[in-house]
Amino acid sequence: MLSNEVSVEIEILRKHGLSLRRIAQEVGCAVNTVRRHLALGEAPSYGPRKRRSTKLEAYESYLRQRQAAAQPHWIPATVLLREIKAQGYEGGISQLRAFVRGLRPAPIEEPLVRFETSPGEQMQVDWVEFRKGADALYAFCATLGYSRASHVEFVTDMKVGTLIECHERTFAALGGVTRRILYDNMKTVVLERDASGQGQHRYHPTFLDYAKHCGFVIKLCRPYRAKTKGKVERFNGYLRRSFYVPLAAKLKQAGLSVDVVTANAEVRRWLKEVANARLHATTGAVPWQRLCQEERAQLQPLAPAWRGQIPAALPTANAAPGQPDRLAAQYPCAVPAQHPLSVYERLLQEIA
């Protein structure tokens, strides 16, 4: 099929005295195509191709009726194949599947409605998994719904004691507590959804006690609906791309891997200089400035030390007499890291 531009070019080259073979080389087509075009004296017109008859054609009306009667459900192609074979169909399932696929109505996407919250109203929390196994590495991510200021804690497990400790550090870093915190279905927060009826969930007793102590309400997002907590979900991807992958690549060049001590030391700097200092694309403001100027005054004050009865929170035998029971759950990363932190800092400076 020749385009109008190629047709004009063939005619011009012919007027300049070029041979048919030379014209074919110039425009990139066969010599016979050039000869046929010049013999016609005008650009060829192409109409729609005639539809080829198929073995399935005689059964198309039946297939449309069957799928229409099954709405809003759908009959698999394998079932329809058995039915039309009983009526004499001799073809295969490939063309049947292609035809049936064209009958399926296009799914109607739900309109994306961005849900914004007032200052101090909501924080969204999620885990990010980087490694499993004996050398596990996870990140606790929290993002304020209004200012988009975020905080990150790298840990080696996702137990309830670790979750509470991450909340403690996050509240201290952000300067207060929001009135609501949004979670997915993590078992350290909710044990069973709708246990006693619609919206009446059975929460993890330890974490529920901690939430009451701090003064925030636990909110759960809809199952299999990540967009419900889209603010922290987008931050999770940003953390992986902008922080973790570059750091892991630098350490890999030196034959090292990211451990929890190094990750926490480096992520503090990244949060301060990059994540919370950038101009946020949605709000059009710098998250940390928006937190300090507008949202922090609306946060609830920090609660006193929580004295929950979980093994990690009980006072140690070496605690000084009369010392108040404070949350003593420390990261399992207290075990010796791969190398002293100074080694990583020196390597990062050399690689950079």
Side-chain angles (χ1 to χ4, degrees), residues 183-268:
Y183 305 90
D184 56 16
N185 297 298
M186 56 181 74
K187 290 300 181 182
T188 48
V189 174
V190 58
L191 299 178
E192 184 180 359
R193 292 182 65 100
D194 303 324
S196 304
Q198 184 67 30
Q200 300 179 18
H201 313 301
R202 185 163 66 94
Y203 295 106
H204 192 292
T206 301
F207 191 77
L208 180 61
D209 180 66
Y210 174 73
K212 292 178 179 178
H213 171 79
C214 294
F216 64 84
V217 176
I218 300 173
K219 301 293 289 183
L220 302 180
C221 65
R222 290 166 53 187
Y224 310 108
R225 180 72 175 175
K227 291 181 180 179
T228 309
K229 54 180 180 66
K231 298 178 180 69
V232 72
E233 289 284 351
R234 284 189 291 274
F235 178 81
N236 292 348
Y238 178 58
L239 172 72
R240 186 181 295 274
R241 295 187 303 271
S242 179
F243 172 75
Y244 181 79
V245 172
L247 176 63
K250 284 185 177 181
L251 292 177
K252 186 177 181 180
Q253 289 177 274
L256 303 172
S257 62
V258 181
D259 61 50
V260 70
V261 176
T262 306
N264 276 319
E266 293 297 322
V267 81
R268 298 288 181 270

Coordinates of all heavy atoms in Angstrom, one line a residue, residues 183-268:
Y183 N -4.9 2.2 58.4 CA -4.1 1.0 58.2 C -4.8 0.1 57.1 O -6.0 0.2 56.9 CB -3.9 0.2 59.5 CG -3.4 1.0 60.6 CD1 -4.2 1.7 61.5 CD2 -2.0 1.0 60.9 CE1 -3.7 2.4 62.6 CE2 -1.5 1.7 62.0 CZ -2.3 2.4 62.8 OH -1.8 3.1 63.9
D184 N -4.0 -0.9 56.6 CA -4.6 -1.9 55.9 C -4.9 -3.1 56.9 O -5.1 -2.8 58.0 CB -3.7 -2.4 54.7 CG -2.3 -2.8 55.2 OD1 -2.1 -3.0 56.4 OD2 -1.4 -2.9 54.3
N185 N -4.9 -4.3 56.4 CA -5.4 -5.4 57.2 C -4.2 -6.1 57.9 O -4.2 -7.3 58.0 CB -6.2 -6.4 56.4 CG -7.4 -5.8 55.9 OD1 -8.3 -5.4 56.6 ND2 -7.5 -5.7 54.6
M186 N -3.2 -5.4 58.4 CA -2.1 -6.0 59.1 C -2.6 -6.6 60.4 O -3.4 -6.1 61.2 CB -1.0 -5.0 59.4 CG -1.4 -3.8 60.1 SD 0.0 -2.6 60.4 CE 0.2 -1.9 58.7
K187 N -2.1 -7.9 60.7 CA -2.6 -8.7 61.8 C -2.2 -8.1 63.2 O -2.8 -8.4 64.2 CB -2.1 -10.1 61.7 CG -2.7 -10.9 60.6 CD -4.3 -11.0 60.8 CE -4.9 -11.8 59.7 NZ -6.4 -11.8 59.8
T188 N -1.2 -7.2 63.2 CA -0.8 -6.6 64.4 C -1.7 -5.4 64.8 O -1.6 -4.8 65.8 CB 0.7 -6.1 64.3 OG1 0.8 -5.3 63.1 CG2 1.6 -7.2 64.4
V189 N -2.7 -5.1 63.9 CA -3.7 -4.1 64.1 C -5.1 -4.6 64.2 O -5.8 -4.4 65.2 CB -3.6 -3.0 63.0 CG1 -4.8 -2.0 63.2 CG2 -2.3 -2.3 63.0
V190 N -5.5 -5.5 63.3 CA -6.8 -6.0 63.3 C -6.7 -7.6 63.1 O -6.0 -8.0 62.2 CB -7.7 -5.4 62.2 CG1 -7.1 -5.6 60.8 CG2 -9.1 -6.0 62.2
L191 N -7.4 -8.3 64.0 CA -7.3 -9.7 64.0 C -8.4 -10.3 63.1 O -8.3 -11.3 62.4 CB -7.5 -10.3 65.4 CG -6.4 -9.9 66.4 CD1 -6.7 -10.5 67.7 CD2 -5.1 -10.4 65.9
E192 N -9.6 -9.6 63.0 CA -10.7 -10.1 62.2 C -11.6 -8.9 61.8 O -12.1 -8.1 62.7 CB -11.5 -11.1 62.9 CG -12.7 -11.7 62.1 CD -13.4 -12.8 62.9 OE1 -13.1 -13.0 64.1 OE2 -14.4 -13.3 62.3
R193 N -11.8 -8.7 60.6 CA -12.7 -7.6 60.1 C -14.2 -8.1 60.3 O -14.5 -9.2 60.1 CB -12.5 -7.3 58.6 CG -11.1 -6.6 58.4 CD -11.0 -6.3 56.9 NE -12.0 -5.3 56.5 CZ -11.7 -4.0 56.3 NH1 -10.5 -3.5 56.6 NH2 -12.6 -3.1 56.0
D194 N -15.0 -7.1 60.6 CA -16.5 -7.3 60.7 C -16.8 -8.5 61.6 O -17.7 -9.3 61.3 CB -17.1 -7.5 59.3 CG -16.8 -6.3 58.4 OD1 -16.8 -5.2 58.9 OD2 -16.6 -6.6 57.2
A195 N -16.1 -8.7 62.7 CA -16.2 -9.9 63.6 C -17.6 -9.9 64.2 O -18.2 -11.0 64.4 CB -15.1 -9.9 64.6
S196 N -18.1 -8.7 64.6 CA -19.4 -8.7 65.3 C -20.5 -7.9 64.4 O -21.5 -7.5 65.0 CB -19.2 -8.0 66.6 OG -18.3 -8.6 67.4
G197 N -20.2 -7.8 63.2 CA -21.1 -7.1 62.3 C -20.4 -6.1 61.4 O -19.1 -6.0 61.5
Q198 N -21.1 -5.5 60.5 CA -20.5 -4.6 59.5 C -19.8 -3.4 60.3 O -20.4 -2.7 61.0 CB -21.5 -4.0 58.6 CG -21.0 -3.1 57.5 CD -20.1 -3.9 56.5 OE1 -20.3 -5.1 56.3 NE2 -19.1 -3.3 55.9
G199 N -18.5 -3.3 60.0 CA -17.7 -2.3 60.6 C -17.3 -2.5 62.1 O -16.6 -1.6 62.7
Q200 N -17.7 -3.6 62.7 CA -17.3 -3.9 64.0 C -16.2 -4.9 64.0 O -16.4 -6.1 64.0 CB -18.5 -4.5 64.8 CG -19.7 -3.5 64.8 CD -20.9 -4.0 65.6 OE1 -20.8 -5.0 66.4 NE2 -22.1 -3.4 65.4
H201 N -15.0 -4.4 64.0 CA -13.8 -5.3 63.8 C -13.2 -5.7 65.2 O -13.5 -5.1 66.2 CB -12.7 -4.5 63.1 CG -13.2 -3.8 61.9 ND1 -13.8 -4.5 60.8 CD2 -13.2 -2.5 61.5 CE1 -14.1 -3.6 59.9 NE2 -13.8 -2.4 60.3
R202 N -12.5 -6.8 65.2 CA -11.8 -7.3 66.4 C -10.3 -6.9 66.2 O -9.6 -7.5 65.5 CB -12.0 -8.8 66.5 CG -11.4 -9.4 67.8 CD -11.9 -10.8 68.1 NE -11.5 -11.7 67.1 CZ -10.4 -12.5 67.2 NH1 -9.6 -12.4 68.3 NH2 -10.1 -13.4 66.3
Y203 N -9.9 -5.9 67.0 CA -8.6 -5.4 66.9 C -7.6 -6.2 67.8 O -8.0 -6.9 68.7 CB -8.6 -3.9 67.3 CG -9.3 -3.0 66.4 CD1 -10.6 -2.5 66.8 CD2 -8.9 -2.7 65.2 CE1 -11.3 -1.7 66.0 CE2 -9.6 -1.8 64.3 CZ -10.8 -1.4 64.7 OH -11.5 -0.5 63.9
H204 N -6.3 -6.1 67.5 CA -5.3 -6.6 68.3 C -5.4 -5.9 69.7 O -5.3 -4.7 69.7 CB -3.9 -6.4 67.7 CG -2.8 -7.2 68.3 ND1 -2.4 -7.0 69.6 CD2 -2.1 -8.3 67.8 CE1 -1.4 -7.8 69.8 NE2 -1.3 -8.6 68.8
P205 N -5.6 -6.7 70.8 CA -5.8 -6.0 72.1 C -4.7 -5.1 72.5 O -4.9 -4.1 73.1 CB -6.0 -7.2 73.0 CG -5.4 -8.4 72.3 CD -5.6 -8.2 70.9
T206 N -3.4 -5.6 72.3 CA -2.3 -4.8 72.7 C -2.3 -3.4 71.9 O -2.1 -2.4 72.5 CB -1.0 -5.5 72.5 OG1 -1.0 -6.7 73.2 CG2 0.2 -4.7 72.9
F207 N -2.4 -3.5 70.6 CA -2.4 -2.3 69.8 C -3.6 -1.4 70.1 O -3.5 -0.2 70.1 CB -2.3 -2.6 68.3 CG -1.9 -1.4 67.5 CD1 -0.6 -0.9 67.4 CD2 -2.9 -0.8 66.8 CE1 -0.3 0.2 66.7 CE2 -2.6 0.4 66.0 CZ -1.3 0.8 66.0
L208 N -4.7 -2.0 70.3 CA -5.9 -1.2 70.6 C -5.7 -0.4 71.9 O -6.1 0.8 72.1 CB -7.1 -2.1 70.8 CG -8.5 -1.4 71.1 CD1 -8.8 -0.4 70.0 CD2 -9.6 -2.4 71.2
D209 N -5.1 -1.1 72.9 CA -4.8 -0.4 74.2 C -3.8 0.8 74.0 O -3.9 1.8 74.5 CB -4.2 -1.4 75.2 CG -3.8 -0.7 76.5 OD1 -4.8 -0.3 77.2 OD2 -2.6 -0.7 76.8
Y210 N -2.8 0.6 73.1 CA -1.9 1.6 72.8 C -2.6 2.8 72.1 O -2.3 4.0 72.4 CB -0.7 1.1 71.9 CG 0.2 2.1 71.4 CD1 1.1 2.7 72.3 CD2 0.2 2.6 70.1 CE1 2.0 3.7 71.9 CE2 1.1 3.6 69.7 CZ 2.0 4.1 70.6 OH 2.8 5.1 70.2
A211 N -3.5 2.5 71.1 CA -4.2 3.5 70.4 C -5.0 4.4 71.4 O -5.1 5.6 71.3 CB -5.1 2.9 69.3
K212 N -5.7 3.7 72.3 CA -6.5 4.5 73.3 C -5.6 5.3 74.2 O -6.0 6.4 74.6 CB -7.3 3.5 74.2 CG -8.4 2.8 73.4 CD -9.1 1.8 74.3 CE -10.3 1.1 73.6 NZ -11.0 0.1 74.4
H213 N -4.4 4.8 74.5 CA -3.5 5.5 75.4 C -3.0 6.8 74.7 O -2.9 7.9 75.3 CB -2.3 4.7 75.7 CG -1.2 5.4 76.4 ND1 -1.2 5.7 77.7 CD2 0.0 5.9 75.9 CE1 -0.1 6.4 78.0 NE2 0.6 6.5 76.9
C214 N -2.8 6.7 73.4 CA -2.3 7.9 72.6 C -3.4 8.8 72.1 O -3.1 10.0 71.8 CB -1.5 7.4 71.4 SG 0.1 6.5 71.8
G215 N -4.6 8.3 72.1 CA -5.7 9.1 71.7 C -6.1 9.2 70.2 O -6.7 10.1 69.8
F216 N -5.7 8.2 69.4 CA -6.0 8.2 68.0 C -7.0 7.0 67.7 O -7.0 6.0 68.5 CB -4.8 8.1 67.1 CG -4.0 6.8 67.2 CD1 -4.4 5.7 66.5 CD2 -2.9 6.7 68.0 CE1 -3.6 4.5 66.6 CE2 -2.1 5.6 68.1 CZ -2.5 4.4 67.4
V217 N -7.8 7.2 66.7 CA -8.8 6.2 66.3 C -8.2 5.4 65.2 O -7.6 5.9 64.2 CB -10.1 6.9 65.8 CG1 -11.1 5.8 65.3 CG2 -10.7 7.7 67.0
I218 N -8.3 4.0 65.3 CA -7.9 3.1 64.2 C -8.9 3.1 63.1 O -10.1 2.8 63.3 CB -7.7 1.7 64.8 CG1 -6.6 1.7 65.9 CG2 -7.2 0.8 63.7 CD1 -6.5 0.4 66.6
K219 N -8.5 3.4 61.9 CA -9.3 3.3 60.7 C -8.7 2.3 59.8 O -7.5 2.2 59.6 CB -9.4 4.6 60.0 CG -10.0 5.7 60.9 CD -11.5 5.5 61.3 CE -12.4 5.6 60.1 NZ -13.8 5.4 60.4
L220 N -9.5 1.4 59.2 CA -9.1 0.4 58.2 C -9.5 0.8 56.8 O -10.7 1.2 56.6 CB -9.7 -0.9 58.6 CG -9.3 -1.5 60.0 CD1 -10.0 -2.8 60.2 CD2 -7.8 -1.5 60.2
C221 N -8.6 0.6 55.9 CA -9.0 0.8 54.5 C -9.7 -0.4 53.9 O -9.7 -1.5 54.5 CB -7.8 1.2 53.6 SG -6.6 -0.2 53.5
R222 N -10.4 -0.2 52.8 CA -11.1 -1.3 52.2 C -10.2 -2.4 51.7 O -9.1 -2.1 51.2 CB -11.9 -0.7 51.0 CG -13.1 0.2 51.4 CD -13.6 0.9 50.2 NE -14.0 0.0 49.1 CZ -14.3 0.5 47.9 NH1 -14.4 1.8 47.6 NH2 -14.6 -0.4 46.9
P223 N -10.6 -3.6 51.9 CA -9.7 -4.7 51.4 C -9.5 -4.7 49.9 O -10.4 -4.3 49.2 CB -10.5 -6.0 51.8 CG -11.5 -5.6 52.9 CD -11.8 -4.1 52.6
Y224 N -8.2 -5.0 49.5 CA -7.8 -5.0 48.1 C -8.1 -3.6 47.4 O -8.4 -3.6 46.3 CB -8.5 -6.1 47.4 CG -8.5 -7.4 48.1 CD1 -9.6 -8.0 48.7 CD2 -7.3 -8.2 48.1 CE1 -9.6 -9.2 49.3 CE2 -7.3 -9.4 48.8 CZ -8.4 -9.9 49.4 OH -8.4 -11.1 50.0
R225 N -8.0 -2.6 48.2 CA -8.2 -1.3 47.7 C -7.1 -0.3 48.2 O -7.2 0.4 49.1 CB -9.6 -0.7 48.2 CG -9.9 0.6 47.7 CD -10.3 0.7 46.2 NE -10.7 2.0 45.8 CZ -11.0 2.3 44.6 NH1 -10.9 1.5 43.6 NH2 -11.4 3.5 44.3
A226 N -5.9 -0.5 47.5 CA -4.7 0.3 47.9 C -4.9 1.8 47.8 O -4.3 2.6 48.5 CB -3.5 -0.2 47.1
K227 N -5.8 2.2 46.9 CA -6.0 3.7 46.7 C -6.6 4.3 47.9 O -6.5 5.6 48.0 CB -6.9 3.9 45.5 CG -6.3 3.5 44.1 CD -7.3 3.8 43.0 CE -6.6 3.5 41.7 NZ -7.6 3.7 40.5
T228 N -7.2 3.5 48.8 CA -7.8 4.1 50.0 C -6.7 4.8 50.8 O -7.0 5.9 51.4 CB -8.5 3.1 50.8 OG1 -9.4 2.3 50.0 CG2 -9.3 3.7 52.0
K229 N -5.5 4.3 50.9 CA -4.4 4.9 51.6 C -3.3 5.2 50.5 O -2.2 4.9 50.7 CB -3.9 4.0 52.7 CG -3.5 2.6 52.3 CD -3.0 1.9 53.6 CE -2.6 0.5 53.3 NZ -1.4 0.4 52.4
G230 N -3.8 5.9 49.5 CA -2.9 6.2 48.4 C -1.7 7.1 48.7 O -0.7 7.1 48.0
K231 N -1.9 8.0 49.7 CA -0.8 8.9 50.0 C 0.5 8.2 50.5 O 1.6 8.4 50.0 CB -1.3 9.9 51.1 CG -2.4 10.8 50.7 CD -2.9 11.7 51.8 CE -4.0 12.6 51.3 NZ -5.3 11.8 51.2
V232 N 0.3 7.2 51.4 CA 1.4 6.5 51.9 C 1.9 5.4 50.8 O 3.1 5.1 50.7 CB 1.2 5.8 53.2 CG1 0.2 4.6 53.1 CG2 2.5 5.3 53.9
E233 N 0.9 4.9 50.0 CA 1.3 3.9 49.0 C 2.2 4.6 48.0 O 3.2 4.0 47.5 CB 0.0 3.4 48.3 CG -0.8 2.5 49.1 CD -0.2 1.1 49.3 OE1 0.8 0.8 48.5 OE2 -0.7 0.3 50.0
R234 N 1.9 5.8 47.6 CA 2.8 6.5 46.6 C 4.1 6.8 47.3 O 5.2 6.8 46.6 CB 2.1 7.8 46.2 CG 1.0 7.6 45.1 CD 0.5 8.9 44.5 NE -0.2 9.7 45.5 CZ -1.5 9.5 45.8 NH1 -2.2 8.6 45.2 NH2 -2.1 10.3 46.7
F235 N 4.1 7.1 48.6 CA 5.4 7.4 49.2 C 6.2 6.1 49.3 O 7.5 6.2 49.2 CB 5.2 8.0 50.6 CG 6.4 8.2 51.4 CD1 7.2 9.4 51.2 CD2 6.9 7.3 52.3 CE1 8.3 9.6 51.9 CE2 8.1 7.5 53.0 CZ 8.8 8.7 52.7
N236 N 5.6 5.0 49.5 CA 6.3 3.7 49.5 C 7.2 3.5 48.2 O 8.3 3.1 48.3 CB 5.4 2.5 49.7 CG 4.7 2.5 51.0 OD1 5.1 3.3 51.9 ND2 3.7 1.7 51.2
G237 N 6.5 3.7 47.1 CA 7.3 3.6 45.8 C 8.4 4.6 45.7 O 9.4 4.4 45.2
Y238 N 8.1 5.9 46.2 CA 9.1 6.9 46.1 C 10.3 6.6 47.0 O 11.5 6.8 46.6 CB 8.5 8.2 46.6 CG 9.4 9.4 46.7 CD1 10.1 9.8 45.6 CD2 9.5 10.1 47.9 CE1 10.9 10.9 45.7 CE2 10.4 11.2 48.0 CZ 11.1 11.6 46.9 OH 11.9 12.7 46.9
L239 N 10.0 6.0 48.2 CA 11.1 5.5 49.1 C 12.0 4.5 48.4 O 13.2 4.5 48.5 CB 10.5 5.0 50.4 CG 11.5 4.3 51.4 CD1 12.4 5.4 52.0 CD2 10.7 3.5 52.4
R240 N 11.3 3.5 47.8 CA 12.1 2.4 47.1 C 12.9 3.0 46.0 O 14.1 2.6 45.9 CB 11.1 1.4 46.6 CG 11.8 0.1 46.1 CD 10.8 -0.9 45.6 NE 9.9 -1.4 46.6 CZ 10.3 -2.5 47.4 NH1 11.4 -3.1 47.2 NH2 9.4 -2.9 48.3
R241 N 12.4 3.8 45.1 CA 13.1 4.3 44.0 C 14.2 5.3 44.3 O 15.3 5.3 43.8 CB 12.1 4.9 42.9 CG 11.1 3.9 42.4 CD 10.3 4.5 41.2 NE 9.6 5.7 41.7 CZ 8.4 5.7 42.3 NH1 7.7 4.5 42.4 NH2 7.8 6.8 42.6
S242 N 13.8 6.3 45.1 CA 14.7 7.4 45.4 C 15.7 7.2 46.5 O 16.7 7.8 46.5 CB 13.8 8.6 45.7 OG 14.6 9.8 46.0
F243 N 15.4 6.3 47.4 CA 16.3 6.1 48.5 C 16.9 4.7 48.5 O 18.2 4.5 48.5 CB 15.6 6.3 49.9 CG 16.4 5.9 51.1 CD1 17.5 6.7 51.5 CD2 16.2 4.7 51.7 CE1 18.3 6.3 52.6 CE2 16.9 4.3 52.8 CZ 18.0 5.1 53.2
Y244 N 16.1 3.6 48.6 CA 16.7 2.3 48.8 C 17.5 1.8 47.7 O 18.6 1.3 47.9 CB 15.5 1.3 49.1 CG 16.1 -0.1 49.4 CD1 16.6 -0.4 50.7 CD2 16.0 -1.1 48.4 CE1 17.1 -1.7 50.9 CE2 16.5 -2.3 48.7 CZ 17.1 -2.6 49.9 OH 17.6 -3.9 50.2
V245 N 17.0 1.9 46.5 CA 17.7 1.3 45.3 C 19.1 2.0 45.1 O 20.1 1.3 44.9 CB 16.8 1.4 44.0 CG1 17.7 1.1 42.8 CG2 15.6 0.5 44.1
P246 N 19.2 3.4 45.2 CA 20.5 4.0 45.1 C 21.4 3.6 46.2 O 22.6 3.4 45.9 CB 20.2 5.5 45.1 CG 18.7 5.6 44.6 CD 18.1 4.4 45.1
L247 N 20.9 3.5 47.4 CA 21.8 3.1 48.5 C 22.3 1.7 48.4 O 23.5 1.4 48.6 CB 21.0 3.3 49.9 CG 21.8 2.9 51.1 CD1 23.0 3.7 51.4 CD2 20.8 2.9 52.3
A248 N 21.4 0.8 48.1 CA 21.8 -0.6 47.9 C 22.8 -0.8 46.8 O 23.7 -1.6 46.9 CB 20.5 -1.5 47.6
A249 N 22.6 0.0 45.7 CA 23.6 -0.1 44.6 C 24.9 0.4 45.0 O 26.0 -0.2 44.6 CB 23.0 0.7 43.4
K250 N 25.0 1.5 45.8 CA 26.3 2.0 46.2 C 27.0 1.0 47.1 O 28.2 0.7 47.0 CB 26.1 3.3 47.0 CG 25.9 4.5 46.1 CD 25.8 5.8 46.9 CE 25.6 7.0 45.9 NZ 25.6 8.2 46.7
L251 N 26.3 0.4 48.1 CA 26.9 -0.6 49.0 C 27.3 -1.9 48.2 O 28.3 -2.5 48.5 CB 25.9 -0.9 50.1 CG 25.7 0.2 51.1 CD1 24.7 -0.2 52.1 CD2 27.0 0.7 51.8
K252 N 26.5 -2.2 47.2 CA 26.8 -3.5 46.5 C 28.1 -3.3 45.7 O 28.9 -4.3 45.6 CB 25.7 -3.7 45.5 CG 25.8 -5.0 44.7 CD 24.6 -5.3 43.8 CE 24.8 -6.6 43.1 NZ 23.6 -6.9 42.2
Q253 N 28.4 -2.1 45.3 CA 29.7 -1.9 44.6 C 30.9 -2.1 45.5 O 32.0 -2.4 45.1 CB 29.8 -0.4 44.1 CG 28.8 -0.1 42.9 CD 28.9 1.3 42.5 OE1 28.2 2.2 43.0 NE2 29.7 1.6 41.5
A254 N 30.6 -2.0 46.8 CA 31.7 -2.2 47.8 C 31.6 -3.6 48.4 O 32.3 -4.0 49.4 CB 31.7 -1.2 48.9
G255 N 30.7 -4.5 47.9 CA 30.5 -5.8 48.4 C 29.7 -5.9 49.6 O 29.9 -6.9 50.4
L256 N 28.9 -4.9 49.9 CA 28.1 -4.9 51.2 C 26.6 -4.9 50.8 O 26.2 -4.6 49.7 CB 28.5 -3.7 52.0 CG 29.9 -3.5 52.4 CD1 30.2 -2.1 53.0 CD2 30.4 -4.6 53.3
S257 N 25.8 -5.1 51.8 CA 24.4 -5.0 51.7 C 23.8 -4.1 52.7 O 24.4 -3.8 53.7 CB 23.7 -6.4 51.8 OG 24.0 -6.9 53.1
V258 N 22.6 -3.6 52.5 CA 22.0 -2.6 53.4 C 21.5 -3.3 54.7 O 20.8 -4.3 54.6 CB 20.8 -1.9 52.7 CG1 20.2 -0.9 53.6 CG2 21.2 -1.3 51.4
D259 N 22.0 -2.9 55.8 CA 21.5 -3.4 57.1 C 20.6 -2.3 57.7 O 20.6 -1.2 57.3 CB 22.6 -3.9 58.0 CG 23.6 -2.8 58.3 OD1 23.1 -1.7 58.8 OD2 24.8 -3.0 58.2
V260 N 20.0 -2.7 58.8 CA 19.0 -1.8 59.4 C 19.7 -0.5 60.0 O 19.1 0.6 60.0 CB 18.2 -2.6 60.5 CG1 19.0 -2.9 61.7 CG2 16.9 -1.8 60.9
V261 N 20.9 -0.7 60.6 CA 21.5 0.5 61.2 C 21.9 1.5 60.1 O 21.7 2.7 60.3 CB 22.8 0.0 62.0 CG1 23.6 1.2 62.5 CG2 22.4 -1.0 63.1
T262 N 22.5 1.0 59.0 CA 22.9 1.9 58.0 C 21.7 2.6 57.3 O 21.6 3.8 57.0 CB 23.7 1.1 56.9 OG1 24.8 0.5 57.5 CG2 24.2 2.1 55.8
A263 N 20.6 1.8 57.1 CA 19.4 2.3 56.5 C 18.8 3.4 57.3 O 18.4 4.4 56.8 CB 18.4 1.2 56.3
N264 N 18.7 3.2 58.6 CA 18.1 4.2 59.5 C 18.9 5.5 59.6 O 18.4 6.6 59.6 CB 17.9 3.7 60.9 CG 16.6 2.9 61.0 OD1 15.6 3.3 60.5 ND2 16.6 1.8 61.7
A265 N 20.3 5.3 59.6 CA 21.1 6.5 59.6 C 21.0 7.3 58.3 O 20.9 8.5 58.3 CB 22.6 6.1 59.8
E266 N 21.0 6.6 57.2 CA 20.9 7.3 55.9 C 19.5 7.8 55.6 O 19.4 8.9 55.0 CB 21.3 6.3 54.8 CG 22.7 6.0 54.8 CD 23.7 7.1 54.6 OE1 23.3 8.0 53.8 OE2 24.7 7.2 55.2
V267 N 18.4 7.2 56.1 CA 17.1 7.6 55.8 C 16.8 8.9 56.5 O 16.0 9.7 56.1 CB 16.0 6.5 56.0 CG1 15.7 6.5 57.5 CG2 14.8 6.8 55.2
R268 N 17.4 9.1 57.7 CA 17.1 10.4 58.4 C 17.6 11.5 57.6 O 16.9 12.6 57.5 CB 17.9 10.3 59.8 CG 17.5 9.3 60.7 CD 16.2 9.5 61.3 NE 15.8 8.5 62.3 CZ 15.2 7.4 62.0 NH1 14.8 7.2 60.7 NH2 14.9 6.5 62.9

